[in-house]
Amino acid sequence: MVYTEIMSSDASPRPYRKRKRAEQEQETRRRITEAAVQLHGTAGPANTAVTDVAKLAGVSRMTVYNHFPTETDLFRACSTHWATVNPFPRPSAWAGIDDPSERLITALRELYRWYRLKQDMLGKVLRDTPILPSLARVMDDLWWPYLQEIVRTLAVGWPVEQRDDAELKAVLRVAVDFDTWRTLTDSGLDHERAPELAARMVTAGAAARSYTASPRGDQRGRPD
């Protein structure tokens, strides 16, 4: 009986201690992630050292490595955290618009507005992606598939000649790109005119492609 009482009293704090430790570790991981995200949005990923993250998070370098053994691990955690706090515009919200031109301008207005609000982070991350292989791997899993999903959503419903055409998807890919938005706005277009011009470029290309898809075979695209 004494043995049973001793074991019972000794065992009860263990789940609590384990839970407390897990909560502390989760809190430390959160602080590290948020510190890295903050630095990525100000200095950029390429200019953020582990020592900078550790200092801002209030931990040691080894603690950072304990939670994130590789740079890819840290970038992945940062991307997931940032995307949760800053939700991407949802292509599924545009899919219900039947008219492809209307769907396109609706999507570009929403996407370009989001680009404007998130340009500090997006600009620095996209700038540094080509020089950081670990960041490129994360972007290959997150960002580029997202843009392709947008293109697939916007490519539906154009004339038959255009529906699955590589040229249409290529010009859509250009239209939805962050650098296209930045080029248009840096050139002096306001945030209303930029998506309208991008949409016109796509629809003009679709119309021209439909014209050149003449049933006259070798005479395709040639005026009489």
Side-chain angles (χ1 to χ4, degrees), residues 4-223:
T4 304
E5 289 175 352
I6 292 174
M7 289 300 295
S8 298
S9 61
D10 182 60
S12 58
R14 290 181 182 174
Y16 171 78
R17 288 197 297 268
K18 290 181 179 179
R19 183 169 65 251
K20 191 67 174 177
R21 173 181 284 185
E23 290 173 354
Q24 291 172 344
E25 290 182 351
Q26 188 64 28
E27 172 62 17
T28 300
R29 183 181 179 89
R30 182 191 64 78
R31 292 207 320 270
I32 294 170
T33 301
E34 290 182 349
V37 168
Q38 181 178 333
L39 291 167
H40 292 167
T42 53
N47 297 318
T48 298
V50 172
T51 51
D52 300 326
V53 175
K55 182 178 180 180
L56 186 59
V59 300
S60 68
R61 290 175 68 254
M62 285 309 302
T63 299
V64 176
Y65 287 124
N66 286 339
H67 284 271
F68 303 101
T70 69
E71 195 174 49
T72 301
D73 293 329
L74 182 57
F75 284 145
R76 199 173 303 281
C78 290
S79 298
T80 300
H81 175 79
W82 190 85
T84 300
V85 177
N86 303 274
F88 293 10
R90 295 182 298 110
S92 60
W94 312 320
I97 303 175
D98 292 333
D99 181 78
S101 296
E102 181 183 350
R103 185 189 322 121
L104 173 64
I105 188 60
T106 300
L108 289 178
R109 283 171 178 162
E110 184 175 346
L111 186 64
Y112 282 14
R113 182 167 55 248
W114 187 73
Y115 282 164
R116 175 167 55 89
L117 295 173
K118 312 302 176 184
Q119 60 182 302
D120 287 344
M121 178 64 81
L122 291 172
K124 292 177 177 65
V125 169
L126 290 169
R127 177 199 68 194
D128 293 348
T129 295
I131 60 176
L132 293 174
S134 53
L135 179 58
R137 284 192 289 271
V138 174
M139 295 293 277
D140 284 344
D141 293 337
L142 178 68
W143 182 247
W144 310 126
Y146 170 66
L147 293 185
Q148 291 303 322
E149 181 184 359
I150 294 177
V151 169
R152 286 193 298 269
T153 300
L154 299 183
V156 174
W158 295 87
V160 174
E161 296 84 357
Q162 281 294 113
R163 186 175 302 152
D164 298 312
D165 190 83
E167 292 180 13
L168 173 64
K169 291 183 177 179
V171 74
L172 284 170
R173 177 63 181 80
V174 171
V176 303
D177 196 83
F178 175 82
D179 283 336
T180 298
W181 165 80
R182 186 160 54 184
T183 298
L184 292 175
T185 53
D186 285 352
S187 298
L189 296 182
D190 60 32
H191 299 295
E192 291 297 323
R193 295 174 63 197
E196 291 174 358
L197 177 58
R200 287 202 301 272
M201 289 190 295
V202 174
T203 54
R209 184 71 179 87
S210 187
Y211 168 75
T212 59
S214 167
R216 299 169 65 181
D218 292 340
Q219 298 300 313
R220 180 176 176 176
R222 302 171 108 184

